[in-house]
Amino acid sequence: MAQTTLTLNRTGDKMPIVGFGCWKVANEDAENTIYTAIKNGYRLIDGAADYGNEVEVGRGINKAIKEGIVKREEIFVTTKLWNTYHSKDNVRAAFDKQLKDLNLDYVDLYLIHFPVPLKNVPIETAYPPGWYQPGEDKVQLERSPLHELWPEFEKLVDAGLARNIGISNMNVQLIMDLLTYAKIKPSVLQIELHPYLQQSVLVKWVQEQDIQITAYSSFGPASFVPLGVDSAKKAAPLLQHDDISAIAKAHNKTPAQVLLRWSVQRGCAVIPKSSSEDRMVSNADVTSWSLPEDAMAKITQLDLNLRFNDPSGYGFNLPIFS
Ligand SMILES: NC(=O)c1ccc[n+]([C@@H]2O[C@H](COP(=O)([O-])OP(=O)(O)OC[C@H]3O[C@@H](n4cnc5c(N)ncnc54)[C@H](OP(=O)(O)O)[C@@H]3O)[C@@H](O)[C@H]2O)c1
């Protein structure tokens, strides 16, 4: 039978293996885009404070609930804590703001967006603040360790406000350390994952810890070219890659579906974003069929260890993946 969910540790919650990503969904479109995604069958919405559209994303979710398309418990809402709120004194206020913006009573999964503790910017001063202090053009760190941040996440679980908690953009070293003091183990690690950045050792080790993986930016450079990221501009587009196109043609699928299916078949969830209803629908159709082993093996050969979402690629002195 087709696998459509991943089971999360501790709660046993079934996380949909295909969700909808909210990054770069324009504020004026977000309510309708999210509503349309849910109407077309998406049951996981992946947002973040940093995307600056949680009010509108929340409106889309609530509209779908109000119209009876889904019940709250049938939709899995993920969001993420931004880097400027890592201090144990700032987590709860940041979370409360997000929950209020989303107009929900709880989230299904709350992630630490990046292991980068940036100097706090008060919510009233700028929201979401991005990477800099207002009026400045350099990143500034603050001394907010992960071992103090994680217990604040655990309190959100205890309070019934986050059903599951997890992490993003972390490597084995950090996760190994986190597991030495976590009372509640992370349920999910969200990472950049596509054929140019396969991270097979990380994926295998994390899955062995009973932590599920969500792959982001499944189409590789496509998402980063418009941001002017150098490595993405130089890379051959994955969606038009000869091997991906040939596999797609041979199986009567689109290249996007092949890229998404490749991750799903490795046991990882995917969260594609699209502004087009047709692409939304086809992106969701990746669980009822599979790629044969030779196609998976062909894609394995495309690994370049090439990352696009690296803060140092945006010009910040934050080489967190080194
Ligand atoms: N944790 C993190 O640090 C992190 C970082 C990045 C992303 N994410 C999450 O992951 C989600 C997905 O990643 P992403 O937004 O970087 O990239 P993505 O979903 O891999 O790609 C989005 C781009 O691909 C296009 N696209 C979508 N479906 C397509 C199709 N079937 N054929 C051709 N083009 C297609 C979209 O354009 P159209 O809209 O025009 O279709 C858009 O330009 C985000 O929305 C966000 O929720 C998390």
Side-chain angles (χ1 to χ4, degrees), residues 230-241:
D230 221 35
S231 55
K233 286 193 286 186
K234 286 183 191 146
L238 256 180
L239 284 163
Q240 283 94 40
H241 193 287

Side-chain angles (χ1 to χ4, degrees), residues 82-251:
W82 185 238
N83 305 337
T84 47
Y85 311 114
H86 278 210
S87 161
K88 61 180 170 29
D89 300 324
N90 292 325
V91 174
R92 182 59 195 262
F95 177 84
D96 286 348
K97 159 84 175 144
Q98 291 186 257
L99 204 58
K100 188 163 170 263
D101 281 357
L102 286 165
N103 194 15
L104 297 173
D105 298 329
Y106 67 93
V107 297
D108 294 276
L109 176 64
Y110 197 45
L111 302 175
I112 299 175
H113 203 150
F114 280 94
V116 178
L118 291 180
K119 188 175 163 194
N120 179 244
V121 177
I123 289 170
E124 317 75 58
T125 306
Y127 190 88
W131 292 84
Y132 302 138
Q133 291 290 303
E136 293 185 14
D137 61 358
K138 269 207 270 320
V139 289
Q140 286 190 48
L141 298 177
E142 70 174 20
R143 286 165 65 96
S144 297
L146 195 53
H147 68 83
E148 289 184 3
L149 163 53
W150 191 250
E152 296 304 309
F153 266 48
E154 292 170 331
K155 284 183 199 164
L156 295 173
V157 172
D158 293 341
L161 296 169
R163 286 190 55 81
N164 302 279
I165 49 179
I167 52 187
S168 180
N169 296 305
M170 290 195 192
N171 61 12
V172 171
Q173 293 184 23
L174 262 183
I175 301 167
M176 208 179 268
D177 186 53
L178 174 60
L179 293 178
T180 64
Y181 54 82
K183 291 197 192 98
I184 297 177
K185 188 165 143 169
S187 299
V188 173
L189 168 69
Q190 187 175 119
I191 46 171
E192 180 179 340
L193 219 54
H194 44 73
Y196 288 160
L197 183 70
Q198 304 194 9
Q199 311 208 65
S200 303
V201 175
L202 174 66
V203 168
K204 179 169 178 288
W205 186 84
V206 169
Q207 288 176 334
E208 282 167 4
Q209 311 312 308
D210 196 17
I211 297 170
Q212 299 290 5
I213 300 231
T214 298
Y216 74 70
S217 302
S218 295
F219 308 138
S223 188
F224 299 93
V225 172
L227 301 180
V229 173
D230 221 35
S231 55
K233 286 193 286 186
K234 286 183 191 146
L238 256 180
L239 284 163
Q240 283 94 40
H241 193 287
D242 285 349
D243 291 345
I244 301 295
S245 302
I247 293 168
K249 198 163 172 226
H251 298 90

Side-chain angles (χ1 to χ4, degrees), residues 20-24 46-47 51 80 113-114 168-169 190 215-220 222-224 239 254 256 271-276 279 282-283 309:
F20 189 83
C22 299
W23 186 33
K24 291 187 267 161
D46 183 85
Y51 303 161
K80 313 181 191 85
H113 203 150
F114 280 94
S168 180
N169 296 305
Q190 187 175 119
Y216 74 70
S217 302
S218 295
F219 308 138
S223 188
F224 299 93
L239 284 163
T254 68
I271 42 173
K273 166 262 171 191
S274 183
S275 52
S276 132
R279 289 193 287 277
S282 69
N283 290 347
N309 196 32

